[in-house]
Amino acid sequence: MFLTGTASYFRPEITRWMQPELRLGPVTPRRAAETAVAHMQATSPDDQQWYIYLPDDRTTETRIFAMPRPVPDAGGMKKRGGEIRLNPQTGETLNARETQGGEHFYRFHFQLQLPHPWGRWLAGLCAIFMLAAILSGVITHKRIFVDFFTLRWNKGQRSWLDAHNVSAVLALPFHAMITYTGLITLFVMYMPWPIAANYARPEAFYTEAYGTEPDGKALGKPVPSMPIGPMVDAAMRQWQGGQPRTIIIRNPNDAAATVTILRSGADRLNARGESVTYSGATGAMLARSGSPGPALTTAGVMLGLHMGQYAGPVLRWTYFLLGLTGTAMVGTGLLLWTAKRRKPGAKPFFGFRLVERLNIAAIACLPAGMAAYLLANRLIPADLEGRAELEVSAMFWTWFGLAAVTLLRPVRRAWVEALALSAAAFGSLPLVNMATTDRGLPASIASGDWLFLSFDGAMLGIAALLGFGAWRAGQARVAAPPRRQRRSPAAAFHPKEIHDVA
């Protein structure tokens, strides 16, 4: 959860890297909205709803989810609408490889690839235990500030404890914040009873809390829709320059058509954006979201802190590095558990062996799976149908397959080999990218393509870190032989000395 959540801070950038065919420039929100609506009017003007996600500074394409009207001969069922990706400048459909991109890491970190809602429930349960561990650790840790400056190498269990303490104390406020806000983001699902006790229908709560309008029915009276551009400009004036992020058009080309424009949360800490609703037939403003109360404002700020969408490049990299310290805190804690229970010469019990092998699978094999996901994006043919699911499958087959193979190896060799394979996988990414696309490292340097240049640099840095871990795992501690001294025969067999030598 911590590792994939950390990667999710660069979710749009990962998606753009995984679609190297796209080279789109910035465009104004009005232009992107106009080209999106023009495309939908030309291709499917009779849909029931259009969800239009506009590009911003980090995403360069327009995404549209269309909801067709019910088909009469299908028992009133709706045809499934797919996702449409457009060039925001021209409104043309983009031709790029199918991929889940960074969205896969984002979804996995709080759903764990489990059916809804069980993955979210499990993630929430883990977050509750994590928050309890952080708070209790602060209370019981008497040397918290002293241990921040203490890191002893090659001392066995003591070294793992020092590493755990330093990684925990270094970013303690971040760890507490990110765990608590992660729970708050899904508090309505974890605690639905107050809503059930006070509202007959959950939709009434969302309408009152967030100002979302219920889906209205079409009147069946065709009316041409008003241009979207002036509505976008009017919404931006309402928000004093705030940028729109999502446009929801209900019942287009009908007398009951409505256009709801939602504000982006990327320009402020509160991720709960305001909204303005216009009549699609006349262009007049029908409603706007009111000022949220303290509770909703707090929830929006908590969501913004957790997602980090408001963060600029420097703060986003800070989030990323602090997330890595959280990953290190969890990993060193797992290793400390086994280090404390490893008794020289004693036969390990089943629970110890299980945790020892699970640690290898979680710490050393998961990075190989994440690298396999990125490698599959380059190695699977770009025009192959269903390739997005194959990329995801590559991650899990590699992760679990490598974990199964390590069961056949001694523990020390399993650590070294799994970490070395993970390092090799990440290190090969820039080479594979250079061999399969025209945006390799030399070309990125020459053209100033900072996205691909930064991505390749990050992959090489991660490979070096994993390689260092493999090297350290292979360094067996060799005790220095005791100095020989002249002693009497009786002293040579003293029990205490025999114990010390052992």
Side-chain angles (χ1 to χ4, degrees), residues 303-326:
L303 179 61
L305 283 170
H306 189 81
M307 300 285 288
Q309 294 179 345
Y310 70 96
V314 175
L315 185 56
R316 192 176 307 119
W317 276 104
T318 303
Y319 263 82
F320 179 79
L321 295 175
L322 293 176
L324 289 182
T325 64

Side-chain angles (χ1 to χ4, degrees), residues 163-200:
H164 181 70
N165 291 335
V166 169
S167 60
V169 177
L170 180 64
L172 180 60
F174 175 82
H175 298 154
M177 178 275 291
I178 209 68
T179 306
Y180 179 70
T181 55
L183 285 168
I184 292 297
T185 57
L186 297 175
F187 74 98
V188 174
M189 187 187 77
Y190 298 144
M191 301 181 65
W193 305 283
I195 298 176
N198 291 278
Y199 294 89

Side-chain angles (χ1 to χ4, degrees), residues 231-307:
M231 300 183 198
V232 172
D233 290 341
M236 294 176 65
R237 287 194 298 269
Q238 290 278 350
W239 301 326
Q240 300 179 352
Q243 299 292 306
R245 182 68 181 97
T246 307
I247 299 176
I248 304 174
I249 301 179
R250 300 181 177 91
N251 305 309
N253 304 308
D254 187 85
T258 60
V259 179
T260 300
I261 304 177
L262 286 77
R263 181 176 180 177
S264 171
D267 57 351
R268 59 180 189 165
L269 186 56
N270 190 344
R272 298 289 186 187
E274 305 169 69
S275 64
V276 183
T277 301
Y278 299 92
S279 168
T282 66
M285 187 177 72
L286 301 178
R288 60 174 298 184
S289 58
S291 300
L296 287 180
T297 300
T298 302
V301 171
M302 293 290 184
L303 179 61
L305 283 170
H306 189 81
M307 300 285 288

Side-chain angles (χ1 to χ4, degrees), residues 195-208 214-215:
I195 298 176
N198 291 278
Y199 294 89
R201 296 180 302 106
E203 294 80 5
F205 163 77
Y206 293 108
T207 300
E208 181 178 341
D215 295 343

Side-chain angles (χ1 to χ4, degrees), residues 104-105 108 366 369-370 372-373 391-399:
H104 167 61
F105 293 140
F108 178 80
L366 173 57
M370 296 176 69
Y373 174 69
E391 290 177 0
V392 175
S393 298
M395 171 177 165
F396 290 102
W397 278 106
T398 303
W399 180 11

